[in-house]
Amino acid sequence: MLEAALAFALAVISLSVLGALYRVLRGPSMPDRIIALDLIGIQLLSIVAIVSVMLRSESYSDIILLIGIVAFLGTVAFAKFIERGVAIEHDRNGDDD
């Protein structure tokens, strides 16, 4: 019963990745695309977690943590890029030369 529920959840999340990918490609604005990319990161994280449960292995926990960190940092970098026009500021002194 658990295997069937996990397989169903895996199929539903895989289909939702396709929906989010559509939003990334056809999104009406840049913030919509960034949110869709963050959603894809969360969905990939959940897919790895479901596969980990299906395989009865705890070795995927590091991968889950890494995907979560990378997805968060990517979202923050994109948001900063939209707000300021640059993702990495090279001037740390506050001079506007």
Side-chain angles (χ1 to χ4, degrees):
M1 180 70 180
L2 179 64
E3 292 294 324
L6 290 173
F8 178 74
L10 195 60
V12 169
I13 293 172
S14 298
L15 287 174
S16 68
V17 168
L18 292 175
L21 187 61
Y22 174 78
R23 183 53 53 200
V24 168
L25 297 175
R26 303 278 303 191
S29 67
M30 188 60 76
D32 290 329
R33 290 181 172 143
I34 292 170
I35 291 171
L37 279 174
D38 190 40
L39 178 64
I40 289 174
I42 292 169
Q43 290 166 336
L44 288 176
L45 190 140
S46 62
I47 286 172
V48 173
I50 290 172
V51 168
S52 176
V53 170
M54 289 175 81
L55 296 176
R56 293 179 176 86
S57 174
E58 295 178 5
S59 62
Y60 293 103
S61 60
D62 293 335
I63 296 171
I64 293 169
L65 182 63
L66 182 66
I67 292 172
I69 291 170
V70 170
F72 172 74
L73 291 177
T75 302
V76 169
F78 276 127
K80 189 174 180 183
F81 177 74
I82 286 177
E83 180 183 356
R84 298 186 182 158
V86 294
I88 299 173
E89 296 177 7
H90 294 289
D91 186 23
R92 294 182 177 241
N93 297 330
D95 297 333
D96 293 331
D97 292 337

